[in-house]
Amino acid sequence: MVFIASKSSSKVSSFNITEGTSVWREPEGNVSRFCRFHNLCYSNKFKEYIFINGATSVQYGVSPEKGILKDVALLTAVWRRMALDVYVVDLETVRRHHMREFIERKQGKYLLFYQTVPGNIGHIFHDSLLPLYNTLKKRQELLPNPGRTLVILYPHERYDRHMELYDFFSAEKPILTSQFKFEPDESLICFEDVLVGLSNDTMWYQYGEGVPEGPVENTQVTATDIRDFNAYFTDRLGLQIDCRTGKRYGVLISRKKTRRILNEKELLVAAAEDLHIDMVEVSLEENTVSSIIEKISCAELLIGVHGALVILAMFLKANTVLLEVYPYALNTELYTDYKTVVELPGMEIEYLAWRNFNLSNTVTHGFEYLIPQEISGGQAISKEKQERILNSSEVPPVQCCHNIELQFRRRQDTIVDIPAIISLIKTTNWYKKGTK
């Protein structure tokens, strides 16, 4: 058998298949947040996770229904519909399909979860990295080094350029399930000790599961949770953040393909002259995530168009300002991922939103800019629907997932009203205190 997942140095061994699989479920209503498995196996032939009912198998807190341990644990911190099903098989089934001859057991501790939106740094931080930090920290498996290797359910074909960010939460190089390769077809890969699930204690935003997207009601997340994470993450990045020296400055997040501020250079000059601070520009095309975090961490002002990179406003220090630009037809009260995080108790970051109401200051991109998962599985968008979207002046509240109108409007370029933005910033306590 050949199993190729990563260049991990995880120990590999065989095991007596008659031992079977065991599971211990941590109760939480109808669906558990966590399950821990001993010898959880993945069948390449059936493309399913399987529980081998062996001589010493244990099923604690679970009971199979028609041969399936259904929804035994939640695979994400944000979606209750993303739960793990495990198929129960007996030893005879394993023998009949010759699987027992091609088993590789991965020794050590693992953590299995699902990555929600590939390539989207906002979702990576909110949906994965913060929950990973919280999950491992609470289980005392984070410091001084992570105690589990991540196994990421990643069924996507697109490569995620931010995948290396997971390295800081993994004992060894994370394993992507999309990279599983087996020879022969009947092969099994079995994990000795695997925790399934992520904590949702750090969630501040929900993306519309049954209700329009918006802040999590009664969230208990505070600035302490965010800044504890920030301290760990910047340390793992090797950054030495010291804001006591140097000039006062602001940061503008630049987009290079869509969501552009078309008079960006003029905005930078005006902000520097009228607010009396230096202004710098950052982008994912020209800067690393690490260097952007380093720059934002000591900035006094952050300006960005509504989009994933604005998540890094969570690294702003106290007594600073975030100004978020909303393209035409986007209601500033409906899509508040980043407003919500900077206004968590104790963050002490002033939030401002500027919305473009002027259609003539908008440049739209064709519907072909929407990636396949955002246009209902890649199906063509009818001319009638395109016309309706183009004639609409406001995107209505949306539920998950991949609303075409919302994604189309998010990708617009904008000529911003520079005097209005500068005037808005001058209303902040930050500006008033800085000019005394």
Side-chain angles (χ1 to χ4, degrees):
M1 167 190 173
V2 177
F3 167 68
I4 304 173
S6 67
K7 294 181 179 179
S8 169
S9 60
S10 296
K11 296 178 181 178
V12 177
S13 70
S14 60
F15 76 103
N16 184 357
I17 195 171
T18 60
E19 178 184 340
T21 305
S22 291
V23 59
W24 296 266
R25 180 182 184 184
E26 298 180 9
E28 184 188 295
N30 294 326
V31 181
S32 174
R33 179 65 56 184
F34 295 103
C35 274
R36 187 171 68 84
F37 286 88
H38 178 67
N39 295 333
L40 177 65
C41 298
Y42 181 80
S43 167
N44 181 56
K45 182 173 183 177
F46 299 109
K47 302 295 187 285
E48 299 288 356
Y49 287 88
I50 64 172
F51 181 106
I52 300 173
N53 209 354
T56 61
S57 289
V58 173
Q59 294 181 9
Y60 179 83
V62 299
S63 56
E65 299 178 10
K66 299 180 179 179
I68 304 174
L69 295 173
K70 191 168 181 60
D71 296 342
V72 292
L74 294 175
L75 289 165
T76 80
V78 292
W79 303 121
R80 293 194 69 83
R81 58 187 173 81
M82 290 297 301
L84 180 69
D85 292 341
V86 179
Y87 288 75
V88 180
V89 298
D90 56 30
L91 289 171
E92 181 56 35
T93 300
V94 175
R95 293 189 183 99
R96 187 166 61 250
H97 292 282
H98 309 291
M99 290 185 287
R100 66 172 299 169
E101 301 171 25
F102 310 108
I103 297 177
E104 184 173 345
R105 189 198 200 198
K106 302 286 280 185
Q107 284 186 311
K109 295 182 176 182
Y110 298 84
L111 195 163
L112 175 69
F113 70 98
Y114 180 87
Q115 184 183 356
T116 53
V117 184
N120 186 302
I121 197 168
H123 282 280
I124 288 173
F125 273 90
H126 178 269
D127 304 356
S128 297
L129 300 186
L130 273 155
L132 280 168
Y133 173 80
N134 192 51
T135 298
L136 293 169
K137 181 181 178 182
K138 283 190 171 183
R139 292 173 178 270
Q140 299 182 336
E141 294 183 308
L142 183 67
L143 298 173
N145 294 300
R148 291 182 179 270
T149 297
L150 303 183
V151 181
I152 305 174
L153 276 165
Y154 188 83
H156 317 288
E157 294 183 1
R158 291 191 302 145
Y159 173 72
D160 188 340
R161 58 179 171 167
H162 304 304
M163 193 60 67
E164 69 277 2
L165 298 179
Y166 289 105
D167 293 356
F168 305 120
F169 303 89
S170 188
E172 297 180 3
K173 193 70 176 174
I175 298 171
L176 304 185
T177 58
S178 61
Q179 296 176 345
F180 284 4
K181 295 180 181 179
F182 298 89
E183 295 178 6
D185 192 53
E186 293 84 1
S187 302
L188 290 181
I189 177 74
C190 298
F191 295 93
E192 178 186 18
D193 179 343
V194 59
L195 179 69
V196 180
L198 289 177
S199 168
N200 68 346
D201 291 344
T202 57
M203 295 296 93
W204 69 78
Y205 203 77
Q206 55 81 22
Y207 298 101
E209 191 172 24
V211 295
E213 70 169 75
V216 171
E217 292 186 5
N218 304 316
T219 181
Q220 300 300 307
V221 188
T222 70
T224 299
D225 300 302
I226 302 301
R227 292 192 167 123
D228 281 353
F229 169 86
N230 291 353
Y232 173 85
F233 195 70
T234 54
D235 177 71
R236 294 299 160 128
L237 287 172
L239 301 178
Q240 301 295 322
I241 305 298
D242 184 355
C243 302
R244 294 172 296 180
T245 60
K247 293 182 178 180
R248 301 171 63 221
Y249 67 90
V251 172
L252 186 144
I253 296 172
S254 178
R255 302 293 289 250
K256 303 301 183 183
K257 296 179 180 178
T258 62
R259 309 185 204 217
R260 296 177 298 170
I261 296 176
L262 296 176
N263 52 344
E264 184 177 274
K265 299 301 181 185
E266 293 84 348
L267 176 60
L268 284 166
V269 171
E273 292 179 351
D274 293 348
L275 303 177
H276 312 294
I277 60 172
D278 292 340
M279 291 296 297
V280 297
E281 174 188 312
V282 298
S283 70
L284 279 177
E285 288 81 4
E286 298 176 355
N287 304 95
T288 64
V289 172
S290 177
S291 66
I292 294 173
I293 290 174
E294 184 175 27
K295 188 62 68 174
I296 288 175
S297 293
C298 289
E300 296 193 16
L301 168 68
L302 179 63
I303 301 174
V305 176
H306 177 72
L309 200 55
V310 183
I311 189 69
L312 299 185
M314 61 187 276
F315 289 91
L316 284 168
K317 60 186 179 179
N319 304 311
T320 56
V321 176
L322 169 63
L323 184 140
E324 190 171 7
V325 173
Y326 282 75
Y328 182 78
L330 290 188
N331 188 324
T332 60
E333 298 299 318
L334 296 182
Y335 312 105
T336 60
D337 330 27
Y338 316 118
K339 175 180 188 291
T340 302
V341 66
V342 300
E343 291 186 343
L344 290 172
M347 290 295 283
E348 298 181 11
I349 298 169
E350 293 185 81
Y351 176 84
L352 302 169
W354 180 87
R355 175 180 173 181
N356 176 30
F357 287 96
N358 190 342
L359 181 59
S360 64
N361 285 338
T362 294
V363 174
T364 60
H365 297 274
F367 287 90
E368 65 272 13
Y369 272 83
L370 305 183
I371 61 176
Q373 66 178 359
E374 291 169 341
I375 54 174
S376 303
Q379 297 178 8
I381 305 170
S382 68
K383 289 292 184 181
E384 292 78 9
K385 190 165 190 175
Q386 291 185 34
E387 287 297 320
R388 183 190 63 76
I389 291 172
L390 290 171
N391 291 329
S392 172
S393 60
E394 183 165 308
V395 179
V398 301
Q399 296 185 26
C400 180
C401 293
H402 313 304
N403 180 275
I404 295 169
E405 184 172 359
L406 174 60
Q407 298 304 331
F408 176 77
R409 290 301 187 186
R410 277 177 168 167
R411 283 161 171 74
Q412 297 170 121
D413 299 335
T414 305
I415 300 172
V416 300
D417 185 336
I418 294 175
I421 286 179
I422 299 299
S423 296
L424 191 58
I425 296 173
K426 287 183 175 181
T427 66
T428 62
N429 291 326
W430 165 79
Y431 176 77
K432 294 172 183 177
K433 290 178 181 178
T435 55
K436 287 184 178 180

